[in-house]
Amino acid sequence: MNILGATTMHLWWLVSLIVAVRGSINSAGGGPDDPVLAGYDLVAYHSLRPYEDGVVGSADYSHRHTDGYLYYFSSQENLDLFRANPSRYLPQYGGFCAWGMAWEYPEDGWPWAADHMGPPCGPRDGWALLEVDGETRLYCSIWRSYQDDFNRKQVEGIRLANKRWIEFYGSLDAGPKN
């Protein structure tokens, strides 16, 4: 493992420790009453250009979805769009790091498991909209550089991450949100 990989792994372990101490799998928000993706607006990503910063939502436009998680939006319009078609906007892999879901395994020193998820996504800049099977979906990774790498290896990354997520939770629509 190179120095960058070792540093990243140490940072990931620190994030995991903080999550463990706080007692929640929702590592970005910290708990069931904290918004998914640290309150970034899931709908707004669909109107942004690549490399633009994500848009922070507001508690004024919040919604507790049928999945039990709390979501923030930046406008009433975006909240209404989400309510009308939530599956279009929900992030893949619950908003956890797509790159990590695909390529970080316990045998390599990464503690990913169904009850111990990897790092949160970087909702400000670690995101991309990727078209898969005719649908545009939101993918997130901890940092922009990891999302860029996931994008370059999109077909293989999605295959590996989908397989693992399904092994953990039974379907791509199940599992925790970050």
Side-chain angles (χ1 to χ4, degrees), residues 78-140:
N78 284 4
L79 171 57
D80 292 343
L81 286 168
F82 180 82
R83 283 181 173 157
N85 189 2
S87 63
R88 177 173 185 219
Y89 301 105
L90 290 171
Q92 294 301 103
Y93 320 123
F96 289 94
C97 184
W99 191 94
M101 182 57 64
W103 287 292
E104 294 174 350
Y105 284 85
E107 56 269 20
D108 298 321
W110 302 97
W112 285 75
D115 62 349
H116 186 102
M117 292 303 294
C121 93
R124 183 180 60 80
D125 65 355
W127 66 273
L129 294 174
L130 302 176
E131 188 167 324
V132 179
D133 298 327
E135 292 186 21
T136 301
R137 302 303 302 246
L138 175 61
Y139 291 82
C140 302

